[in-house]
Amino acid sequence: MNFRKLILIAAAFASVTISCKKDEDSESKPYIQGSMDVTGLPEFVAPHQKCTMKVKGAIHPEGKEIGYCWKVSPVMSKYDTTRYENGLNKKGEPSDGSFTYTFKDSLATYTIYCYAFATGYSSNTTTTYTTVVKTGKDGSITGIEYPASNFTAIGTQIWTVANASKGEGGSFRNAEVMAEIFGRYYNYEQAKAACESLGTEWKLPTKEDWDVLESYTKEHADLGKTVAAALMGPASFNGTLMWEYWPTVGKITNGTGFSAIPVGYANLATGSYSGTYEYAAFWTSTEVEDDSNMAYYKYLICDQPDLYEGKADKNSFGASVRCIMK
């Protein structure tokens, strides 16, 4: 399932009732102008995280003060008026229209409404979203039992079993709280450094190391119907299954204990993230022979049975990292 779809589904159930002022909107009144945008709200937040949100972009046609109302759904039943038209909040104190809210510990997507109003004008509104996430056991990722040691033996090899999250590298949708949940997205040099940071006995696996893992999985059919089924972990994120079932893959068994999750990949040059719920991509240390700017990576895809190989730019491509013992 597309990650953005999850947010839109959650938003579909949110109330849109506006109750800040009794005499606000009328089809005969002109509208407050501008395209409103909320700042100060990350796309993902931790339980009990406090966020101070502001809105920009609303324009009074006569240059007068604008009042703002806020609501966090589904936890607030009424709007909170944070700024009146005289520049004072409801306590009579000077206000810039910002709104501070401490999110609960429920792992869910919340809808935040901001409503700009002024006497004699119809309102201008904007809607944004944030998702509360949690790290560790009983957190956002469920369905996988990670060993306390964070590594497991697969045949003659020993692999780490959670995506690396330390050091440099991007975090999903640039939300730092997601680094320890999805792992970081590293470029090639950052990927090597992430494994080296574990100690001298660890390294970023070569293309051949991955080939050995794939061959072992194929030779042991009891691990899973396909290579992908044996490597994929049956994980859920905030209660939503990450790998969807495909007959071409078969029942996901995670028979190897590798616990791959589909967190996609990144373009680190643009800060964009793609392929969530579809791909698990991992760097190898093997460079492309005829292009010093490229290196190989391995990937799983939700509807295909095997482990596949690609080439990517060392600097801009962001992939997950698993390390192997030398």
Side-chain angles (χ1 to χ4, degrees):
M1 179 181 289
N2 182 275
F3 190 81
R4 176 58 60 183
K5 189 186 296 182
L6 293 178
I7 294 178
L8 295 178
I9 290 173
F13 293 97
S15 169
V16 294
T17 301
I18 294 176
S19 57
C20 270
K21 295 183 66 107
K22 295 180 180 179
D23 60 347
E24 288 295 60
D25 292 339
S26 168
E27 292 183 4
S28 62
K29 295 179 181 179
Y31 281 88
I32 293 175
Q33 301 169 353
S35 178
M36 293 169 58
D37 183 43
V38 172
T39 63
L41 180 68
E43 192 167 347
F44 298 91
V45 297
H48 310 298
Q49 182 172 333
K50 180 186 290 187
C51 295
T52 297
M53 294 164 262
K54 293 184 178 182
V55 67
K56 60 182 181 180
I59 303 171
H60 194 296
E62 300 176 56
K64 296 181 179 180
E65 293 280 0
I66 295 175
Y68 296 99
C69 293
W70 298 81
K71 185 170 75 170
V72 179
S73 181
V75 291
M76 290 173 59
S77 59
K78 297 181 179 179
Y79 277 80
D80 178 76
T81 303
T82 61
R83 179 182 176 187
Y84 293 99
E85 293 167 270
N86 60 2
L88 303 178
N89 65 16
K90 58 188 176 183
K91 295 181 180 179
E93 303 165 335
S95 171
D96 61 0
S98 62
F99 173 64
T100 299
Y101 184 80
T102 301
F103 286 89
K104 311 303 181 185
D105 57 4
S106 177
L107 304 183
T109 296
Y110 295 83
T111 306
I112 294 86
Y113 300 97
C114 182
Y115 166 33
F117 64 89
T119 300
Y121 289 86
S122 295
S123 65
N124 191 345
T125 61
T126 187
T127 305
T128 190
Y129 312 94
T130 192
T131 300
V132 175
V133 295
K134 182 181 176 183
T135 62
K137 188 176 181 181
D138 300 322
S140 290
I141 297 293
T142 56
I144 297 177
E145 291 292 333
Y146 292 113
S149 62
N150 191 35
F151 61 82
T152 190
I154 306 175
T156 60
Q157 299 174 315
I158 298 179
W159 291 82
T160 55
V161 293
N163 292 344
S165 61
K166 305 301 182 183
E168 298 182 12
S171 54
F172 184 66
R173 305 247 175 139
N174 304 308
E176 189 62 24
V177 69
M178 291 297 292
E180 291 189 26
I181 297 174
F182 279 7
R184 292 193 182 275
Y185 300 78
Y186 300 91
N187 67 25
Y188 177 75
E189 292 298 333
Q190 292 168 344
K192 291 198 299 182
C195 289
E196 290 168 359
S197 70
L198 298 180
T200 57
E201 69 272 26
W202 293 95
K203 67 172 184 175
L204 185 66
T206 64
K207 187 161 68 77
E208 290 72 26
D209 289 328
W210 285 95
D211 292 341
V212 170
L213 173 65
E214 183 179 15
S215 295
Y216 176 81
T217 305
K218 287 180 176 179
E219 291 167 2
H220 294 77
D222 58 307
L223 298 176
K225 175 185 174 181
T226 62
V227 171
L231 295 175
M232 292 174 173
S236 292
F237 174 72
N238 277 12
T240 298
L241 191 65
M242 299 188 77
W243 293 112
E244 293 185 13
Y245 173 77
W246 289 86
T248 48
V249 172
K251 180 182 178 182
I252 293 174
T253 64
N254 196 27
T256 58
F258 189 79
S259 303
I261 57 176
V263 301
Y265 51 90
N267 183 329
L268 298 175
T270 62
S272 59
Y273 297 83
S274 306
T276 317
Y277 285 73
E278 297 175 348
Y279 289 88
F282 305 95
W283 275 116
T284 82
S285 63
T286 305
E287 301 175 81
V288 176
E289 296 81 358
D290 57 354
D291 190 341
S292 61
N293 295 317
M294 305 280 284
Y296 290 97
Y297 67 97
K298 295 284 187 173
Y299 67 95
L300 296 164
I301 185 169
C302 60
D303 60 351
Q304 297 299 319
D306 296 315
L307 181 66
Y308 299 93
E309 183 177 289
K311 303 174 185 178
D313 182 84
K314 290 180 179 179
N315 294 316
S316 63
F317 187 69
S320 300
V321 164
R322 295 296 182 88
C323 305
I324 190 171
M325 190 172 286
K326 296 178 182 178

